[in-house]
Amino acid sequence: MDKMVVVGGQKLNGQVNTGGAKNAALPILFSTLLAEGEHVFRNVPRLKDIDSTSELLQALGCETRWDGDLFRVLVKPAPSLEAHYDIVRKMRASILCLGPLLTKYGEAVVSMPGGCAIGTRPIDLHLEGMKALGAEIVLEEGYVKAHAKKLKGNTILFEVCTVGGTENLMMAAALADGITVLENAAKEPEIVDLAEYLNKMGAKISGAGTSVITIEGVNKLKPAEHAIMADRIEAGTLLIAGAITGGEVTVNRIKPQLIESLISKMKEAGFKIAVSNDSVMVHPNTSWTGIDITTAPFPLFPTDLQAQYMALMAVSQGASVITETVFENRFMHVQELIRLGADITPKTRVAVVRGHSGRLKGAPVMATDLRASASLVLAGLVADGETTVSRIYHLDRGYERLEEKLSSLGARIKRM
Ligand code: UD1
């Protein structure tokens, strides 16, 4: 099993490009199930989660292939309508095939994703939403079995802001009869990217990016071409990598407003940050203060950058309080950061980080989930000596060649 070995103490310097967004690519790739024919994508990141999506699409009867930098999905008539546990368990986002299959073919059988490291992550809101559109749903033998002759538009008020739920319902409503209104919809930029692709296919969706999304169902969609948006979480991680080492790093191909919540917290902490249309640069800095964050849906501080920000706070001067409101069990990285010498007291959803400018010390640590593994790599960049991060497969689910990108900035990091 691969490990990442980081030797700390190098200041990172230079420019680095952001890749395509995993969280935009996954729903968009599943949305291809809505239209037979060939869909063509640019800027799809080469990640484990994309391989898992590809595997599932193939199991459903589609052909997928890389063609140089393009990713092609050929959706054939009469696909299989069953997403098996073997594939779904690898990636929770597989539930996103439910909406497209159900609305297009009137039926879908999708394995329930099960638990995951960062909490129970139920799918009840996806299912309630499908029922509101007229689906009959039974849960049997670990599978969601959904059926509907034709979905019918309705108004759906989400009790909790859910990114995946909003995406699944948007896809289902695209081919439903009549108008669907999603209220308290998630506003994440990846939802806007999905809506853009659905509209390119012929859907009639307005309001994506606001809390009310209106979808006027159409009879048929056709394949289209699309470039996946940039990955704001990768961009934020790379910016923190520059900051934590006291280096000067420019992250290119990212619209600064996508990571405004991070930029403003880093500025409060004392970093000088320059932005242009599509880049963000952090200036060298040797000391910064502790600044509190609370994770929340977009445009507030993303839960997917909480672990990385905590590593930055662990070497700040002063204390900070990190509050996680999105997932109930997302402090698994804390114990590992403590192994590196961080001073952190975790409670259920709040962690108090007593930053110290004394260096962290390298140690063997274990990645527990995708973003946690990134935070350990970041901490390793400033820890004295060698940090070995094991279970790096978590990192490969969501970061494309992170070690190469960090090496190009001067980090001493290699995969073993
Ligand atoms: C997506 C992102 C993930 C990110 C998260 C929050 C993808 C592939 N993943 O995950 O990286 O961390 O958004 O920004 O885009 N909930 C329910 N019932 C449901 C659905 C969700 O209670 O049916 C709860 C969840 O347990 C969680 C909250 O809603 O507490 C938000 O989850 P959600 O936005 O759905 O996250 P995902 O779409 O799974």
Side-chain angles (χ1 to χ4, degrees):
M1 213 176 280
D2 283 4
K3 292 178 179 180
M4 203 74 93
V5 179
V6 192
V7 179
Q10 306 294 313
K11 272 192 181 158
L12 302 194
N13 277 299
Q15 310 223 357
V16 63
N17 290 335
T18 312
K22 168 179 91 69
N23 286 355
L26 301 183
I28 288 175
L29 291 180
F30 284 117
S31 78
T32 61
L33 293 165
L34 291 164
E36 285 156 28
E38 191 178 56
H39 304 247
V40 184
F41 301 104
R42 274 175 290 131
N43 211 31
V44 175
R46 291 179 190 254
L47 303 170
K48 273 264 161 58
D49 274 7
I50 297 295
D51 296 342
S52 302
T53 306
S54 205
E55 197 186 336
L56 180 50
L57 288 172
Q58 286 174 13
L60 293 171
C62 307
E63 279 177 19
T64 63
R65 69 184 167 98
W66 287 99
D67 172 9
D69 284 344
L70 301 178
F71 188 78
R72 295 177 185 271
V73 181
L74 177 62
V75 181
K76 297 185 182 166
S80 154
L81 301 178
E82 273 197 51
H84 288 282
Y85 177 65
D86 284 354
I87 304 178
V88 175
R89 71 183 169 83
K90 293 185 195 166
M91 189 184 66
R92 295 185 46 81
S94 305
I95 191 67
L96 293 174
C97 68
L98 178 68
L101 290 178
L102 177 62
T103 195
K104 184 154 167 62
Y105 300 100
E107 208 178 308
V109 179
V110 182
S111 168
M112 305 221 279
C116 78
I118 60 174
T120 49
R121 296 181 86 173
I123 52 163
D124 55 323
L125 301 173
H126 300 233
L127 304 186
E128 289 308 315
M130 300 295 164
K131 283 185 195 164
L133 297 184
E136 283 170 30
I137 293 186
V138 287
L139 304 180
E140 251 174 32
E141 298 158 340
Y143 280 78
V144 176
K145 298 182 177 174
H147 173 85
K149 260 207 178 102
K150 180 82 176 156
L151 294 180
K152 285 202 173 40
N154 202 346
T155 295
I156 295 165
L157 170 63
F158 289 108
E159 258 173 50
V160 176
C161 230
T162 158
V163 175
T166 302
E167 292 166 344
N168 228 344
L169 267 301
M170 221 162 70
M171 293 189 280
L175 286 178
D177 269 344
I179 292 178
T180 299
V181 180
L182 304 179
E183 295 180 342
N184 193 27
K187 295 184 281 201
E188 268 63 7
E190 292 75 17
I191 288 171
V192 179
D193 210 30
L194 171 63
E196 213 171 281
Y197 187 61
L198 292 170
N199 284 341
K200 281 183 183 174
M201 284 201 283
K204 291 190 175 164
I205 300 175
S206 59
T210 75
S211 57
V212 181
I213 302 179
T214 305
I215 305 124
E216 193 183 327
V218 297
N219 285 332
K220 200 169 183 248
L221 296 170
K222 56 182 188 333
E225 292 189 17
H226 189 67
I228 304 294
M229 66 175 286
D231 195 318
R232 61 195 168 99
I233 305 303
E234 184 197 24
T237 304
L238 292 167
L239 194 69
I240 295 174
I244 202 168
T245 64
E248 182 177 296
V249 166
T250 304
V251 183
N252 292 322
R253 296 192 191 164
I254 183 71
K255 291 197 174 76
Q257 59 271 30
L258 294 182
I259 50 168
E260 185 50 43
S261 56
L262 171 67
I263 292 173
S264 72
K265 287 295 174 182
M266 286 175 66
K267 281 184 177 166
E268 270 187 68
F271 290 97
K272 215 173 137 211
I273 293 179
V275 300
S276 76
N277 263 352
D278 67 347
S279 75
V280 183
M281 177 181 127
V282 60
H283 285 269
N285 188 5
T286 48
S287 100
W288 49 94
T289 56
I291 294 292
D292 301 349
I293 57 152
T294 299
T295 66
F298 189 82
L300 299 174
F301 199 97
T303 175
D304 285 353
L305 281 174
Q306 178 256 107
Q308 302 89 315
Y309 183 83
M310 190 182 285
L312 184 66
M313 289 297 103
V315 286
S316 69
Q317 290 193 330
S320 55
V321 177
I322 296 193
T323 307
E324 172 61 55
T325 72
V326 180
F327 291 111
E328 78 269 26
N329 186 21
R330 210 171 192 182
F331 282 147
M332 309 269 280
H333 45 284
V334 170
Q335 293 308 330
E336 302 302 300
L337 289 172
I338 290 172
R339 286 176 54 74
L340 297 173
D343 183 352
I344 306 174
T345 309
K347 300 277 182 216
T348 316
R349 284 192 180 241
V350 176
V352 177
V353 186
R354 289 172 210 86
H356 55 82
S357 44
R359 300 281 282 272
L360 301 177
K361 286 218 167 13
V365 287
M366 200 158 64
T368 48
D369 71 56
L370 167 54
R371 307 304 170 184
S373 38
S375 84
L376 299 175
V377 169
L378 295 178
L381 292 173
V382 281
D384 274 336
E386 199 173 276
T387 298
T388 307
V389 186
S390 55
R391 297 201 180 167
I392 211 70
Y393 56 84
H394 288 294
L395 196 73
D396 295 332
R397 283 192 40 225
Y399 288 93
E400 184 177 359
R401 301 180 293 107
L402 184 65
E403 72 275 24
E404 284 177 34
K405 291 193 178 185
L406 293 175
S407 292
S408 75
L409 296 170
R412 290 175 65 194
I413 177 168
K414 62 179 182 233
R415 183 182 288 263
M416 306 285 281

